[in-house]
Amino acid sequence: MNGIFQLLEKYLMGPMAKIAAFKSVRAIMAAGIASITFTIVGSFFLVFNVLPQTFSFLQGFFDDTFFRISDLYILVYKATMGLLALYFVIVIGYEYTKIHEQEDDIKVSPLNGALLAVFAFFLCVPELFYADGRIQLFSDANTINGWTIGGSGPDRMGTVGIFTAIIMSLLTVKIYCLCVKRNWVIKMPEAVPEGVARSFTALIPAFAVALVVLIISGTFVALGTDIFKVIAIPFAFVTDIANSWLGLMVIFFLIHALWIVGIHGANIITSFLVPIVLSNLQANANGANIPFAGEFYNSFVFLGGSGGTLGLTLFIAFLARSQQLRILGKASIAPGIFNINEPIIFGLPIVYNPYLAIPFFLSPMVTASMAYWSIKLHLVSPIIAAVPWPSPAGIGAFIGTAGDWRAALLALSCVFVSWLIYLPFVKVYDNKLFREESSTD
């Protein structure tokens, strides 16, 4: 086991820690975290609107009451999930500029960075085509002057635009920082108010951003495509891999391989997957059946925290022979119910512990498989709404699937299966600690 730990440290922990430290990655992670509030609020109104689909006896009541104003309150969902790319572009532009300002000592304004990123993103949204020697705005039944309207508003400003928002935000901030670093800016006297000076400082970078984006966009249009379609190709490939069962197994292996050597694997790996699970969430809300969506992790896999340790926590709290395990277990029950298990991971410990490493890897892979195939085979409804990640076992799955009791039962089954996987290993570890405690008495 020591050899395995050393291999994980050398070939996984080091490279992943370096990737997580990249300025661009940290900005994207910040955008994913910032979007949580809006996805949860928007999803609440969506779940409320589809309750009669699950509880049919409510249909008549809703028709006579809430559905009379549903076009009003469902705007909350459309203004969150329907405009999610816009939230991403604002946060990434702001955070990426702020990181450069603080760490590279460049006199840039995070506010300007955010606004320039939004500017660049909107330059890409309208659909264009090349015909008869001219670049023209595309129009048809759903597209007016290049702007395609979907069920939640402008189509490209929703989850389908997240990847373009990421690329354009990073590109824009790089251009902005380069202009400021090379002094390609208009400098105003110190007596000029800060807001006015900031606007003029961003003037030349704004022209540079417009020029670069228009050249890129125009080139793609001349070739019969556009930025959205080009960016979608590699990200669609990544999304397809992540949505497969094998891809999920790799994801959960990487998360727990990092945890086992003391790195917060969930924060690092899931941050890269936020655009994918949010896009899948939107697709499920529109009728798709994608297992890996929304809070799939915390609804079915991370029950009790990474590694699915809720059953383990309850066992050591009430059935362990070792005094130290019982004390630790009882102290960890409350946070464990809300999917927080750092006390278990570092206190048991699971990190660098050869007795518990195998079930720590095995449990989430088994429970993820259970949930994946249950949804894939239509035994359980897919997740259509975002829920707070600390939602207790069963509750998060029930709400996220808009009230499917089978999802709640599946989540509780995952807790039981996870406990069974940990049981033989934790018994050996418990007996070892008990013997050590007895020998010191």
Side-chain angles (χ1 to χ4, degrees), residues 305-325:
S306 295
T309 57
L310 183 57
L312 170 66
T313 301
L314 294 173
F315 174 82
I316 65 173
F318 300 108
L319 299 176
R321 301 172 69 194
S322 166
Q323 182 70 15
Q324 69 182 71
L325 288 189

Side-chain angles (χ1 to χ4, degrees), residues 14-27 29 263 268 272:
M16 290 305 299
K18 289 180 181 178
I19 292 174
F22 288 167
K23 295 182 179 69
S24 56
V25 172
R26 285 150 53 198
M29 290 170 64
I263 300 295
I268 293 175
F272 294 108

Side-chain angles (χ1 to χ4, degrees), residues 45-288:
F45 285 88
L46 176 66
V47 170
F48 182 76
N49 214 39
V50 300
L51 277 178
Q53 297 179 23
T54 303
F55 304 104
S56 56
F57 62 88
L58 294 174
Q59 186 68 50
F61 173 73
F62 268 63
D63 286 339
D64 294 334
T65 54
F66 296 110
F67 283 168
R68 293 178 180 272
I69 58 170
S70 64
D71 283 348
L72 173 64
Y73 63 73
I74 205 63
L75 287 176
V76 178
Y77 177 76
K78 294 182 178 182
T80 50
M81 294 298 293
L83 298 174
L84 203 56
L86 186 58
Y87 294 101
F88 264 74
V89 79
I90 292 171
V91 177
I92 294 174
Y94 184 92
E95 290 292 335
Y96 197 36
T97 307
K98 184 178 179 181
I99 291 171
H100 278 289
E101 177 191 30
Q102 295 175 344
E103 299 181 11
D104 296 339
D105 196 26
I106 302 176
K107 292 183 179 180
V108 289
S109 165
L111 179 59
N112 279 346
L115 293 175
L116 287 170
V118 172
F119 170 55
F121 176 69
F122 276 119
L123 286 175
C124 302
V125 172
E127 295 185 51
L128 301 160
F129 70 100
Y130 182 78
D132 301 325
R134 298 177 55 196
I135 292 180
Q136 307 171 52
L137 287 167
F138 181 78
S139 293
D140 65 10
N142 297 318
T143 305
I144 302 173
N145 293 328
W147 292 79
T148 300
I149 305 301
S152 297
D155 190 53
R156 290 186 163 187
M157 292 173 65
T159 54
V160 297
I162 290 178
F163 295 120
T164 302
I166 292 172
I167 299 300
M168 297 314 300
S169 299
L170 299 179
L171 174 64
T172 298
V173 173
K174 280 295 184 183
I175 295 172
Y176 178 33
C177 291
L178 176 64
C179 290
V180 174
K181 193 173 182 179
R182 297 290 180 87
N183 286 319
W184 299 339
V185 295
I186 298 175
K187 293 185 178 180
M188 304 297 290
E190 294 185 3
V192 174
E194 182 181 354
V196 176
R198 186 167 54 231
S199 297
F200 276 91
T201 300
L203 190 58
I204 293 178
F207 272 109
V209 168
L211 185 61
V212 171
V213 175
L214 289 178
I215 290 173
I216 295 173
S217 182
T219 302
F220 285 137
V221 171
L223 294 173
T225 183
D226 64 18
I227 294 176
F228 269 80
K229 295 172 185 175
V230 170
I231 290 176
I233 294 172
F235 284 106
F237 176 72
V238 173
T239 299
D240 289 341
I241 293 176
N243 287 340
S244 68
W245 173 79
L246 184 58
L248 274 189
M249 295 302 97
V250 173
I251 288 169
F252 286 108
F253 174 82
L254 291 175
I255 289 173
H256 294 86
L258 288 170
W259 262 126
I260 207 70
V261 290
I263 300 295
H264 201 308
N267 273 357
I268 293 175
I269 302 298
T270 59
S271 297
F272 294 108
L273 300 170
V274 167
I276 294 175
V277 296
L278 289 179
S279 296
N280 292 344
L281 188 71
Q282 178 81 51
N284 285 346
N286 293 331

